Amino acid sequence: VAIDQRYAAALRFRDAPRAESLTFVKHLGPQHQFQRVMLVSGDRESEVRYLAEQVGITEVHAQKNPEEKLTIVREETAKAKTLYVGDGINDAPAMMAATVGMAIGQNSDVTAEAAGVVIMDNSLMKVDEFMHISRRMRIIALQSAIGGMALSAIGMVFATTGHLSPVNGAIAQEVIDVLAVLNALRAAFPPKVLHDL
């Protein structure tokens, strides 16, 4: 900044993290069993490290181009399941390589096409909601599938030992199918709260 053509001060502008970032990052391990959280960015290292410190991330990869981001994600995905959250075109290749690629915001059609999940709202609260929804859907699906198969197996045991006639077996199978479908319909009635932030 110059006043009357004389140097007065140097201003440094920094990106500010989202308000919920620190809480979001801290709850990923205890609530969602994340083992590692990394910040991978194309920005300058000083700026990326500053943001990482603000939100509680210790593992930082700065000044990475899309190819380098892709390499990092491929290496991590080879070791464990990964979730890559990004909001720019430069994130698209990495999103495709991750187990789950998530585009946040409405910044790019390319990013939306590359991602497996698109969060229209630019909010980490919505990211957390997605994780809760997906976990709930998986539990309901497994309950219906495994529960239905277990009940059918029990029915087959009764049928093979002569305790269940073919007609009663068919009726029992229909009842099992209806129970599995009714359990699956629980997914249509979400809980009032879908996040834990």
Side-chain angles (χ1 to χ4, degrees), residues 139-154:
I139 289 168
I140 290 171
L142 286 173
Q143 285 173 345
S144 293
I146 294 172
M149 287 188 289
L151 289 173
S152 294
I154 292 168

Side-chain angles (χ1 to χ4, degrees), residues 85-98:
V85 180
D87 64 357
I89 293 173
N90 292 340
D91 296 310
M95 280 183 201
M96 293 178 76

Side-chain angles (χ1 to χ4, degrees), residues 10 109 150:
D109 290 340

Side-chain angles (χ1 to χ4, degrees), residues 76-99:
E76 295 302 323
T77 305
K79 300 175 197 170
K81 292 181 181 178
T82 55
L83 168 66
Y84 187 98
V85 180
D87 64 357
I89 293 173
N90 292 340
D91 296 310
M95 280 183 201
M96 293 178 76
T99 308

Side-chain angles (χ1 to χ4, degrees), residues 111-128:
T111 309
E113 285 290 325
V117 178
V118 179
I119 306 286
M120 302 302 281
D121 193 2
N122 199 1
S123 163
L124 292 175
M125 185 87 71
K126 296 295 182 186
V127 174
D128 190 52

Side-chain angles (χ1 to χ4, degrees), residues 168-196:
N168 288 337
I171 292 169
Q173 185 59 53
E174 291 305 316
V175 171
I176 291 167
D177 292 344
V178 169
L179 289 174
V181 169
L182 288 174
N183 184 63
L185 286 174
R186 287 177 33 226
F189 304 98
K192 290 181 182 178
V193 179
L194 283 169
H195 63 83
D196 54 13

Side-chain angles (χ1 to χ4, degrees), residues 14-25 39 50-52 54-57 85-88 91 102-107 119-128 197:
R14 290 184 184 265
D15 289 333
R18 294 177 173 92
E20 72 272 23
S21 297
L22 179 60
T23 307
F24 177 78
V25 170
L39 181 56
Y50 170 79
L51 278 175
Q54 300 300 306
V55 301
I57 297 175
V85 180
D87 64 357
D91 296 310
M102 184 183 295
I104 182 170
Q106 303 179 47
N107 297 334
I119 306 286
M120 302 302 281
D121 193 2
N122 199 1
S123 163
L124 292 175
M125 185 87 71
K126 296 295 182 186
V127 174
D128 190 52
L197 290 180

